[in-house]
Amino acid sequence: MLSESQRRHLSDILQPVSPPRQLDNIFTDDQRRRMLDVVHSGEWKLIIAQHFANAEELIATFAGGFPDGFEPTLDMFLTPTFRGFFANYSATLYPELHDVFYNEAFLGHAKSYWNAQYAKPQMMLFNINGPCGNNDPGHIDSPSFRGIRYENSPTWLCSIMGRSGLFQDYLIKMAQVITWFSHDPASGFTYWPKGPLNKPDRLASPIYNRGLVVQNEMMVHRGEANGSLERQRPAGLGFDSIFTGEIGNRDGWQVKTGDWVIDEYHTDELRFLVHWSAEVFDDFDELKKNMDGSDNLTFDRVFDTLIKDVRARGIDIATPTDPLHDPLFIKTLNDAYDYGGPAEYPLEAPRGGVYAAAA
């Protein structure tokens, strides 16, 4: 158990470079429809099925919130929220969304947010669901560092690196434009811009075509559930469930487990999140250093740094033979950089209530 001063130190690390900035009317109706048409034509897996092999890896992104001796499982976090990518590796994956990804206005928001000279779009993902709830106490998105990036590294490791504060000199500056399309009258977005042990802020409903410019890799946040409670976890939901469009119905959507349709929605029932992300560079020297690989971290250096820091604070940690996949090693690191979870939640969106869910 960390002391109050240690927890406060870890909380203070998790602050974005600037307060989130609210945006309205972010996409045109035509852009929204083209994005939904791409989603309608595909099959999309659950978020946790794509990113985590076991509960320890998932919990390492949460940093706190579970009592001693409690053994959470992945099933506890199984909710019908699905994910896909419109763009990745700075390239759009769908030609019909070229203008959506290579978005001059978004690049301007990213540079202004950091007061930086240069920015390049990095990726664009979406989360989509019908009525949905979750038990997320708050998390950070996966930060990237020179040499250790979300594309080549486990989510849990990038999260712990960000929370530790030990690799700030290698942190890749990022900015996101995050947009929600939801008609739910109570669903919103909770975030802690001054650190998770301080008071939260909230983007409240209506959140249709509204959003924020943020640095979600260094700010604890959580989305909020939507829809009626009785439909938030459909019977038959499993790790192999998929989200897809209904054949012949442009506004019809289905959740399927195998060949079994376990729930159906109309477009107006969806919570559709679009997450656009850019890498940002103060000047040309920083741009060059990020691109040429001349000052990159390695896995060996990262694990050596983390192990030395944990031991220096009197915590026993073994040197694993497979540090990327050792559950005990992951748990020990997570405990060492565990601020204990957010200290406070909005009254309108209490943790564990109807409107507490993962982004």
Side-chain angles (χ1 to χ4, degrees), residues 2-10 197 339:
L2 302 184
S3 68
E4 178 62 27
S5 63
Q6 289 172 322
R7 291 176 59 242
R8 178 62 60 178
H9 169 73
L10 294 173
L197 298 188
Y339 55 80

Side-chain angles (χ1 to χ4, degrees), residues 37-295:
D37 284 346
V38 167
V39 181
H40 198 274
S41 66
E43 294 184 345
W44 313 101
K45 296 180 180 180
L46 292 166
I47 293 176
I48 64 171
Q50 298 180 46
H51 293 284
F52 306 104
N54 53 53
E56 286 78 14
E57 291 187 6
L58 174 61
I59 293 159
T61 68
F62 287 161
F66 301 102
D68 290 341
F70 182 75
E71 294 294 337
T73 66
L74 278 174
D75 285 339
M76 290 176 52
F77 304 97
L78 189 64
T79 57
T81 305
F82 302 82
R83 171 169 292 177
F85 283 82
F86 293 136
N88 211 349
Y89 310 110
S90 293
T92 181
L93 305 180
Y94 300 91
E96 62 267 42
L97 300 182
H98 184 277
D99 63 308
V100 179
F101 182 55
Y102 299 110
N103 191 311
E104 185 176 0
F106 286 12
L107 288 168
H109 291 314
K111 289 186 286 187
S112 173
Y113 184 73
W114 279 91
N115 191 27
Q117 284 187 267
Y118 301 106
K120 70 180 183 73
Q122 176 59 22
M123 65 91 168
M124 189 173 190
L125 62 78
F126 64 87
N127 295 347
I128 195 161
N129 54 264
C132 178
N134 206 326
N135 298 315
D136 178 13
H139 66 278
I140 59 172
D141 289 352
S142 182
S144 286
F145 305 83
R146 290 194 299 278
I148 306 294
R149 302 175 55 92
Y150 82 90
E151 298 98 335
N152 66 10
S153 307
T155 299
W156 70 263
L157 176 59
C158 292
S159 176
I160 285 174
M161 289 174 65
R163 284 166 28 218
S164 75
L166 297 173
F167 305 97
Q168 294 295 92
D169 290 343
Y170 297 87
L171 180 69
I172 295 176
K173 297 179 174 69
M174 303 287 285
Q176 295 81 38
V177 175
I178 302 179
T179 309
W180 291 267
F181 294 93
S182 172
H183 293 293
D184 190 285
S187 180
F189 179 70
T190 303
Y191 57 97
W192 286 263
K194 297 296 185 181
L197 298 188
N198 291 305
K199 288 186 176 296
D201 285 335
R202 185 172 184 254
L203 180 67
S205 181
I207 56 169
Y208 191 87
N209 205 10
R210 294 178 65 215
L212 297 169
V213 185
V214 296
Q215 186 195 11
N216 264 359
E217 298 88 2
M218 295 304 294
M219 182 181 74
V220 175
H221 60 277
R222 60 165 194 164
E224 297 167 10
N226 63 289
S228 60
L229 181 61
E230 61 272 13
R231 293 189 67 193
Q232 287 184 6
R233 182 166 174 166
L237 186 68
F239 286 105
D240 58 342
S241 296
I242 61 162
F243 185 94
T244 190
E246 180 184 351
I247 296 174
N249 182 1
R250 197 182 190 192
D251 285 312
W253 306 87
Q254 297 177 332
V255 177
K256 299 172 70 176
T257 302
D259 294 329
W260 179 27
V261 176
I262 64 172
D263 213 339
E264 296 182 291
Y265 316 115
H266 184 274
T267 297
D268 289 345
E269 297 178 283
L270 300 179
R271 177 177 167 117
F272 178 42
L273 176 151
V274 180
H275 174 124
W276 178 94
S277 190
E279 295 185 6
V280 183
F281 313 97
D282 285 343
D283 51 31
F284 185 78
D285 287 342
E286 185 175 42
L287 172 61
K288 183 176 183 298
K289 182 167 62 176
N290 275 263
M291 293 298 107
D292 66 17
S294 60
D295 188 30

